[in-house]
Amino acid sequence: TEFYNMVFESLDQDDSGTLDLDEVLLFLRLLGLNLTPGQVVSIISQHGINPDIHLNKQEFSYLVDGIESGLKS
């Protein structure tokens, strides 16, 4: 959606078209989630995303959906 695209673009600090681990950690900290890099890799893997820690926009949207689902349960 447009929201995911806007957030993704603001987090992609190096304009690479993907989010690296530091950019993902920044996003999670902005949400108030202080996770370790290992925890992030685990979450990414649990949602069927390749844990190479270079998330494209689609993978980012899956990650956000997964986090939202986890927070609601």
Side-chain angles (χ1 to χ4, degrees):
T1 67
E2 188 61 34
F3 172 74
Y4 290 138
N5 288 335
M6 189 171 56
V7 172
F8 183 93
E9 304 258 334
S10 67
L11 291 171
D12 185 16
Q13 298 173 342
D14 59 3
D15 293 322
S16 65
T18 61
L19 299 181
D20 62 25
L21 182 58
D22 289 335
E23 292 163 332
V24 172
L25 287 169
L26 172 63
F27 168 68
L28 295 173
R29 286 187 191 112
L30 291 172
L31 292 178
L33 302 171
N34 292 313
L35 303 176
T36 67
Q39 289 171 312
V40 172
V41 171
S42 178
I43 290 168
I44 290 169
S45 297
Q46 289 173 9
H47 293 287
I49 302 168
N50 182 351
D52 65 1
I53 311 303
H54 285 80
L55 303 180
N56 62 34
K57 286 182 183 179
Q58 182 178 19
E59 292 169 329
F60 175 71
S61 70
Y62 293 153
L63 175 65
V64 173
D65 285 344
I67 291 170
E68 287 178 346
S69 296
L71 292 175
K72 291 177 184 174
S73 56

